[in-house]
Amino acid sequence: MNGSRILPRILTALIGLVLAPLSLALLADGSRTWNQYVQTTFYRLDRVPDLTEPMVLRGLGLILIGILLLVILALTGVWSSAGLLVTAVYALAAVATAAVPALMEAFWSRSPILPTLVLDAIGFGLPVALLPITAAMGGALALARRRPAAPAITALLGMIAVPAMLLLGALALVWGYSRGVYQALMTFDFRLDVVAAACILVGAVLIVLGILVTRWSPYSLVLPGLAVPALSAVVLLPDPAIDGLLSNRAGAAVWTFLSGGGGPALGALFLVFTIVLASVRFRARRAARQGEVAAPETLRPLEETASPLPPTAASSRTGTSTPTAP
């Protein structure tokens, strides 16, 4: 029995260790290619992109493959939370790199053989946005497996609390990221900005807590899962309001993340995780009910158990006689 539980954990953990960085690398490369097409061709889309152009095919293809890998990573949560939980290692590294740009400079200067995909991923903010979410999803699934029941009031409150916490965390993360990492990449000044680092840490904590709350409110990510891809489509439209968004570093960071693969990837991750969490809670509740039904059968009353005495002796104690065959 222990072996049947350990093997899925090991397999899903290995899948998580491989798929998390691979999906981010593909998303970063696809987002860079797609954004180059948008900026050089239309700057913002004023007509349907030509899907026969190599740049469009490459950018959208890599984005779709990266999203597919993230979906597979989320689906491993049906069997075990380990695949999502191990991404916490990457999440801690991503948050630390974003909070302390000097770490990024040291990593960059000492690893010249690494492909530019790593720097692209950092520039698009994919690791610091997605990895804390995947790690927190593993924690939410682990909690749901241990205690699947949740009061109805928490499910209703979570429909408001989860989007609010995610929005506040995203705002803090974007502001700190634009002031820290974006500034460092543009000016090559990698000195520590304490305020930016604090905002990144607070934003990451709020996002993690918001995802953990979904354990009590499993459908609270449906609205964010639909809103983020819709917002990603909006920022690509030729609207004068987008010019104001791009006029500052924070707005440019938001546009870069949403207009590439970050927005669709986030939406797909939220919606798939909602299905996975609902499935895990259902199976955990069913196992708990089966355990409650089986428990009373092992504790039968004394009078229902077989008497160790022969029938004649047992009947003599109760004052009755057992008829004998003639």
Side-chain angles (χ1 to χ4, degrees), residues 35 38-39 42-46 230-259:
N35 280 346
V38 172
Q39 293 174 7
F42 311 117
Y43 186 67
R44 291 192 304 275
L45 297 180
D46 56 359
L231 187 60
S232 300
V234 169
V235 299
L236 286 173
L237 297 177
D239 193 316
I242 306 299
D243 295 331
L245 181 69
L246 297 173
S247 62
N248 59 81
R249 289 195 302 268
V254 171
W255 186 90
T256 302
F257 179 82
L258 291 177
S259 63

Side-chain angles (χ1 to χ4, degrees), residues 166-223:
L166 292 180
L167 179 59
L168 292 175
L171 291 175
L173 203 61
V174 166
W175 195 86
Y177 195 83
S178 62
R179 176 167 173 167
V181 175
Y182 246 50
Q183 180 70 16
L185 291 175
M186 288 189 299
T187 63
F188 294 95
D189 183 2
F190 295 93
R191 288 176 296 180
L192 176 64
D193 188 324
V194 178
V195 177
C199 287
I200 289 173
L201 294 177
V202 170
V205 169
L206 284 174
I207 288 175
V208 168
L209 292 178
I211 297 298
L212 290 178
V213 172
T214 60
R215 171 260 179 273
W216 294 278
S217 184
Y219 300 104
S220 54
L221 286 178
V222 173
L223 180 60

Side-chain angles (χ1 to χ4, degrees), residues 72-100:
I72 294 173
L73 176 60
L75 288 176
T76 61
V78 174
W79 297 278
S80 172
S81 307
L84 291 165
L85 283 174
V86 295
T87 61
V89 177
Y90 298 132
L92 291 174
V95 173
T97 301
V100 185

Side-chain angles (χ1 to χ4, degrees), residues 94-311:
V95 173
T97 301
V100 185
L103 295 176
M104 179 171 55
E105 182 190 22
F107 178 77
W108 190 355
S109 60
R110 296 180 184 179
S111 304
I113 62 174
L114 286 178
T116 57
L117 296 181
V118 177
L119 298 177
D120 287 339
I122 293 174
F124 280 90
L126 293 168
V128 74
L130 295 178
L131 291 176
I133 290 176
T134 57
M137 286 177 173
L141 290 176
L143 292 173
R145 283 187 167 90
R146 292 176 180 240
R147 296 182 180 179
I153 186 63
T154 59
L156 296 176
L157 292 176
M159 299 296 291
I160 301 174
V162 170
M165 295 175 72
L166 292 180
L167 179 59
L168 292 175
L171 291 175
L173 203 61
V174 166
W175 195 86
Y177 195 83
S178 62
R179 176 167 173 167
V181 175
Y182 246 50
Q183 180 70 16
L185 291 175
M186 288 189 299
T187 63
F188 294 95
D189 183 2
F190 295 93
R191 288 176 296 180
L192 176 64
D193 188 324
V194 178
V195 177
C199 287
I200 289 173
L201 294 177
V202 170
V205 169
L206 284 174
I207 288 175
V208 168
L209 292 178
I211 297 298
L212 290 178
V213 172
T214 60
R215 171 260 179 273
W216 294 278
S217 184
Y219 300 104
S220 54
L221 286 178
V222 173
L223 180 60
L226 297 174
V228 174
L231 187 60
S232 300
V234 169
V235 299
L236 286 173
L237 297 177
D239 193 316
I242 306 299
D243 295 331
L245 181 69
L246 297 173
S247 62
N248 59 81
R249 289 195 302 268
V254 171
W255 186 90
T256 302
F257 179 82
L258 291 177
S259 63
L266 202 57
L269 196 59
F270 283 164
L271 295 178
V272 172
F273 175 73
T274 299
I275 299 173
V276 171
L277 180 58
S279 174
V280 168
R281 292 179 75 247
F282 173 77
R283 293 167 61 184
R285 287 197 304 266
R286 184 176 61 182
R289 285 195 299 267
Q290 291 175 351
E292 292 174 357
V293 171
E297 296 180 356
T298 62
L299 300 174
R300 296 180 180 177
L302 181 61
E303 60 270 13
E304 295 182 3
T305 59
S307 174
L309 300 176

